Amino acid sequence: MKKIERSEQEWQTCLTPEEYRVLREKGTERAFTGKYYNFKDVGTYTCAACGNELFSSETKFDSGTGWPSFFKPLADSSISTDEDRSFGMKRIEVHCNQCGSHLGHVFDDAPQMPTGLRYCINSVSLNFVPSVKATKK
């Protein structure tokens, strides 16, 4: 996978202020406000910063948390993780492996899912590409 490297000034020019706050400054959107938290179309979720394919709609589930949740990435190489100890918590932060942008966090609190994991991802970190099958009539 080819890594994308840009200066923070370059990121600011190609992202909206909200995208920059979440993707580059590790912010979060308010629960139940993102465009994809209750979205059910079939396709692929990509990184809003670089277009890297991250998650399939087939692995999306309603976790009741107010953010899009997935039980696994499209490919292990699509994402990377790091320990996050901000705000007095110990969490695992999820990044796009191609551009390093912050996507959200992963938790091991989804025993009903095949992996037991819940990738809790900000909608603003994502774009959606509909499946070709889903768009044909």
Side-chain angles (χ1 to χ4, degrees):
M1 175 178 299
K2 184 180 176 191
K3 300 285 185 177
I4 295 174
E5 294 185 27
R6 294 184 176 137
S7 70
E8 289 310 305
Q9 187 174 22
E10 289 173 311
W11 284 119
Q12 284 179 322
T13 63
C14 67
L15 299 172
T16 68
E18 179 67 359
E19 288 171 338
Y20 184 82
R21 185 184 72 78
V22 172
L23 289 158
R24 305 307 304 170
E25 295 180 330
K26 302 180 180 186
T28 191
E29 62 197 4
R30 287 188 3 255
F32 302 101
T33 63
K35 61 186 173 184
Y36 297 126
Y37 92 89
N38 197 26
F39 188 76
K40 304 210 186 311
D41 287 6
V42 177
T44 302
Y45 293 86
T46 64
C47 176
C50 72
N52 183 26
E53 293 184 340
L54 301 170
F55 299 96
S56 167
S57 61
E58 293 176 7
T59 64
K60 189 173 186 281
F61 68 101
D62 182 1
S63 65
T65 62
W67 287 278
S69 296
F70 305 87
F71 61 82
K72 72 176 186 175
L74 200 58
D76 290 338
S77 61
S78 297
I79 62 159
S80 60
T81 58
D82 284 317
E83 188 174 282
D84 175 4
R85 291 187 172 264
S86 62
F87 305 108
M89 297 182 274
K90 183 179 176 186
R91 303 178 291 178
I92 304 297
E93 183 179 0
V94 179
H95 305 272
C96 172
N97 202 29
Q98 185 165 286
C99 70
S101 290
H102 170 80
L103 303 171
H105 292 86
V106 61
F107 303 93
D108 63 355
D109 61 2
Q112 73 280 20
M113 293 294 113
T115 62
L117 299 175
R118 173 176 56 94
Y119 289 85
C120 187
I121 307 298
N122 291 289
S123 287
V124 74
S125 299
L126 302 171
N127 283 325
F128 181 77
V129 179
S131 169
V132 174
K133 291 179 188 176
T135 59
K136 288 186 177 179
K137 298 195 183 206

